[in-house]
Amino acid sequence: MTDTVKFLLDESRLPRHWYNINADLPEPMAPVLHPGTHRPVTPDDLAPLFPHGVIEQEMSTEREIDIPEPVRTAYRQWRPSPLYRARRLENALGTPARIYYKYEGVSPAGSHKPNTAVAQAFYNHREGVRRITTETGAGQWGSSLALAGAMFGIDISVYMVKVSFWQKPYRRAFMESFGAECIASPSDTTAAGRAVLAEHPDSTGSLGIAISEAVEMAAQREDTRYALGSVLNHVLLHQTVTGLEAREQMAMADDDPDVIIGCTGGGSNFAGLAFPYLGEQLRGGRQRQFIAVEPAACPTLTKGRFAYDFGDTGHLTPLTRMHTLGSSFVPPGFHAGGLRYHGMAPQISHLTHLGYIRPRAYNQLECFAAGLEFARAEGIIPAPEANHAVKAAMDEAVRCRESGESRVILFNLCGHGNFDMQAYTDYLAGELRDQAYAEDEASMALAGLPTVGPPAGEQP
Ligand SMILES: *Cc1c(COP(=O)(O)O)cnc(C)c1O
């Protein structure tokens, strides 16, 4: 049996700042627009939803943003997270490639999401916010925010996509254990939820609907704000702590990645690992290959349109220019709930549009097969979402076996699958099917995109 090779950073090397890729973009991003006026949003427009500290970060172009000491203290419970070299997987594949993974499953919620949850809870707490509303799909984000709320003394209300609410009772119990309130969405507690229920009483919900409910709740109350677990600039910023650590750990390993891989739902764990490296490249440094991996059943980057769209179904959020399948698109119920979102982070979309990031899509069965092969070699059962990154890393390694190249592959193992045993049970029983992407439904959703003029100076 080959030894596990693990690279651990000393606590004193926990990053002191996050990396903001807005400082290094080769072309500026299209402005975020107000949903009513279609004019660029101002900090005041966002103030009912987010604390000022977060709004500042959302719009910042500073390259390095200090991580506040209370956030570093919270991080220290599980950070710096380990970087592993997957020697046993390399042997199993017979590849000359060197495969590394950054493991974010060591956080108390089992994924990368607490990296932003504790930061957002801190800024809300500092500004006197009493309650935060949010949505959750698979339950990982709700779990992470529930944990962060308990740490900073903030009440958390989570709108959980109804199908997950019923399918994942352990996730709900996890949130409630930390004192959070968990509401199945669509619900009758909001106008957005009631509107969906009136039309589709049996709706099993979607992230887009749950976001509308959470935003509506937050906008109504002075002591309440909203938090999003992915997509927005400040979330991707907070996640860069993983890539900043990984850079140091790769130096400890005396190696340097040629290929960097992450799964993409809203884009935050991928960005967290990739952006510190991509920023180097944008400043004239080494070029690398960046691969964003998504489910073929919700192929936002590979089949979506790069256009202005709403972040939610109820059209309460600002408009951002991103890859989208249309805000009314409801992806089929495959088992990587964290990847079922119609849109993509505007920063990821922008950099994909400019050719810096290569997107790729896989079906769920091939991802579960890869995840089990990984688990049997490395001893960690990946989250179903993370299996997409595992599959891409293994494909790259197999390609190296065929070409004889010894490339260095780094991927984000963004969470463990210990809460997702039902998915593995179904897979092992042969009950999972690949879900086709509903081309016609998506084209209907795309036909409903808002009409917004192209930014000044650009061709339509
Ligand atoms: C939420 C989640 C994702 C998807 O979100 P990103 O913002 O794309 O990272 C992926 N993996 C896991 C384990 C998650 O919890």
Side-chain angles (χ1 to χ4, degrees):
M1 179 128 162
T2 319
D3 280 351
T4 301
V5 187
K6 174 158 102 174
F7 300 94
L8 285 179
L9 279 183
D10 188 77
E11 252 185 48
S12 63
R13 310 271 291 279
L14 181 68
R16 292 184 180 280
H17 60 80
W18 293 296
Y19 166 66
N20 180 8
I21 203 160
N22 278 349
D24 294 313
L25 292 178
E27 288 175 28
M29 301 212 303
V32 177
L33 303 180
H34 188 282
T37 64
H38 291 193
R39 305 196 63 79
V41 292
T42 62
D44 284 350
D45 292 331
L46 298 175
L49 291 186
F50 299 106
H52 298 288
V54 159
I55 294 169
E56 220 171 90
Q57 293 179 349
E58 189 60 26
M59 302 188 159
S60 170
T61 52
E62 294 273 312
R63 183 170 290 123
E64 293 185 348
I65 295 181
D66 285 347
I67 305 178
E69 212 41 52
V71 176
R72 294 185 78 236
T73 302
Y75 277 177
R76 266 191 217 101
Q77 187 183 347
W78 71 93
R79 309 210 68 85
S81 68
L83 178 93
Y84 291 96
R85 176 155 170 204
R87 286 283 287 276
R88 288 175 288 184
L89 181 66
E90 291 169 18
N91 286 347
L93 295 173
T95 177
R98 299 194 290 286
I99 308 173
Y100 294 86
Y101 56 95
K102 180 73 166 159
Y103 184 42
E104 290 296 307
V106 294
S107 82
S111 77
H112 63 289
K113 291 210 172 73
N115 296 331
T116 185
V118 296
Q120 294 191 52
F122 164 77
Y123 291 110
N124 277 287
H125 168 74
R126 195 180 64 176
E127 295 175 29
V129 173
R130 292 281 176 76
R131 183 162 80 123
I132 303 175
T133 62
T134 196
E135 71 291 327
T136 198
Q140 290 121 326
W141 170 240
S143 299
S144 303
L145 196 65
L147 162 82
M151 281 176 163
F152 288 93
I154 298 176
D155 293 340
I156 306 292
S157 300
V158 182
Y159 285 89
M160 187 169 188
V161 176
K162 199 170 271 176
V163 62
S164 303
F165 186 89
W166 298 121
Q167 282 177 355
K168 302 200 159 188
Y170 294 161
R171 276 292 177 190
R172 182 179 156 200
F174 189 100
M175 292 180 240
E176 290 176 351
S177 297
F178 283 107
E181 169 194 31
C182 190
I183 307 139
S185 165
S187 77
D188 59 9
T189 65
T190 64
R194 288 190 293 272
V196 174
L197 287 173
E199 222 181 306
H200 307 283
D202 299 328
S203 168
T204 52
S206 72
L207 266 184
I209 295 168
I211 293 174
S212 294
E213 292 205 271
V215 165
E216 182 183 325
M217 266 303 181
Q220 278 171 6
R221 286 181 52 164
E222 191 43 50
D223 64 349
T224 302
R225 293 289 180 276
Y226 166 73
L228 194 63
S230 186
V231 178
L232 298 180
N233 299 349
H234 65 271
V235 179
L236 276 55
L237 171 80
H238 299 154
Q239 291 297 347
T240 59
V241 67
T242 61
L244 293 165
E245 286 177 8
R247 258 195 338 198
E248 292 214 35
Q249 290 163 308
M250 288 301 301
M252 284 168 79
D254 200 18
D255 226 337
D256 192 46
D258 301 305
V259 190
I260 295 170
I261 298 171
C263 66
T264 42
S268 73
N269 87 83
F270 169 76
L273 185 65
F275 279 5
Y277 284 102
L278 183 49
E280 258 173 45
Q281 174 172 332
L282 296 174
R283 295 191 299 276
R286 199 185 148 195
Q287 302 216 353
R288 295 182 176 87
Q289 198 182 336
F290 298 93
I291 305 177
V293 194
E294 60 185 13
C298 188
T300 316
L301 282 169
T302 51
K303 295 219 171 139
R305 193 172 303 160
F306 184 51
Y308 271 107
D309 198 5
F310 294 96
D312 69 327
T313 311
H315 297 179
L316 301 172
T317 68
L319 291 159
T320 53
R321 194 175 188 211
M322 60 181 175
H323 286 84
T324 178
L325 296 168
S327 63
S328 62
F329 178 72
V330 178
F334 55 89
H335 262 298
L339 306 181
R340 292 176 76 227
Y341 183 59
H342 70 272
M344 183 52 63
Q347 288 177 328
I348 302 265
S349 291
H350 184 65
L351 287 160
T352 302
H353 182 67
L354 294 176
Y356 291 95
I357 297 169
R358 296 190 213 175
R360 182 185 293 183
Y362 288 116
N363 283 301
Q364 70 173 352
L365 289 180
E366 55 191 344
C367 292
F368 275 102
L372 283 185
E373 198 172 344
F374 175 88
R376 287 165 192 178
E378 294 295 315
I380 299 170
I381 300 179
E385 293 84 1
N387 282 341
H388 292 72
V390 171
K391 168 67 179 157
M394 286 172 58
D395 274 7
E396 291 303 305
V398 167
R399 199 165 297 168
C400 288
R401 180 176 74 206
E402 284 154 8
S403 66
E405 274 179 293
S406 57
R407 302 178 82 202
V408 180
I409 300 164
L410 169 64
F411 72 94
N412 200 343
L413 187 62
C414 53
H416 66 63
N418 298 2
F419 279 110
D420 301 285
M421 286 302 126
Q422 191 58 51
Y424 281 93
T425 302
D426 294 348
Y427 176 73
L428 291 167
E431 282 168 9
L432 285 194
R433 296 280 169 273
D434 282 336
Q435 306 263 3
Y437 158 66
E439 202 100 33
D440 47 337
E441 243 184 76
S443 50
M444 260 169 61
L446 283 173
L449 284 183
T451 34
V452 176
E458 273 197 47
Q459 295 298 317

